[in-house]
Amino acid sequence: MRQPLVVGNWKMQGSLAGVEALLGDLVSATPAAGVEVVVCPTYVHLAQAVSLCRFSSLTLGAQDCSHVQSGAYTGEVSPAMLAEIGCRWVILGHSERRQYQGESDVLIAAKLMSAAEAGLRPIVCVGETREQREAGAAQAVVSTQLEEALKGRANLAQLVLAYEPVWAIGTGLTATPEQAQQMHAFMRVCLADIANVDSAATRILYGGSVKPDNAAQLFAQPDIDGALVGGAALVAADFLAIINAAAA
Ligand code: PEP
């Protein structure tokens, strides 16, 4: 039985006052039983967020981390530093980092190992572009991303995957529940093949314009175990509605 997981990716948004207000609304809401909820603010807001959530069931994640624990890497933040301040999760390989920071599968694999070493739970994102889908290459792209990130790695017991079709992120376009289910089922088969994990027990999230009005249909699919939510995670009522849909 895989526990539903809903993760909010706040991207590069927020302010001290905004974080306090949004987390205040989330923490004061009655938590939906049985759903694990994670919020990922920017690095600069993480310590504040950990403190605001300390008496709640919400846990915190980072949106990225370095591939090493310390050293001469100007501007980087290590998994060990994140773990020390109470961050429990980390998103890796988000398509915006692949696109704007040029992150490769090799670098993502190194970050994955480094995160696991520090005890952070990794959420590894994969997904195809619109052009790749239209060319019939969606499964090939996703399986390559999975293989490069996971093959031969140890310490994957805490692994969570997120299928995030690039064409659906922040665009208002969502994969249909059938398209998403098909890819999630395929990812589970790939996972069993390439990684030393229990693929039936590994949670696979869907991400890409998840909103209160499409969440329930996505969560009804047998291989969709929750969501990685961008825009709708910045509005407390919307994020709570998505969490409630995951609980239903
Ligand atoms: C994301 O940032 O991972 C994401 C899925 O964004 P959105 O929900 O806004 O499409």
Side-chain angles (χ1 to χ4, degrees), residues 50 78-88 118 120:
V50 167
S78 85
M81 292 168 183
L82 294 169
E84 188 185 23
I85 64 158
C87 174
R88 297 285 167 252
L120 296 181

Side-chain angles (χ1 to χ4, degrees), residues 110-164:
K111 290 183 176 199
L112 175 62
M113 289 304 91
S114 173
E117 186 187 23
L120 296 181
R121 299 167 169 203
I123 301 165
V124 175
C125 303
V126 296
E128 80 286 356
T129 63
R130 190 165 52 105
E131 294 72 25
Q132 289 165 334
R133 177 162 279 268
E134 284 171 359
Q139 290 193 343
V141 168
V142 166
S143 64
T144 301
Q145 289 173 337
L146 288 175
E147 185 156 348
E148 305 252 314
L150 307 178
K151 198 167 180 102
R153 316 280 164 211
N155 288 333
L156 295 180
Q158 308 269 35
L159 176 71
V160 169
L161 297 178
Y163 170 53
E164 295 214 311

Side-chain angles (χ1 to χ4, degrees), residues 9-11 91 94-96 125 164 168-173 206-211 228-233:
N9 173 16
W10 290 1
K11 312 196 188 199
I91 298 171
H94 192 282
S95 63
E96 287 156 11
C125 303
E164 295 214 311
I169 297 179
T171 59
L173 298 172
Y206 170 78
S209 300
V210 176
K211 308 282 179 216
L228 179 51
V229 185

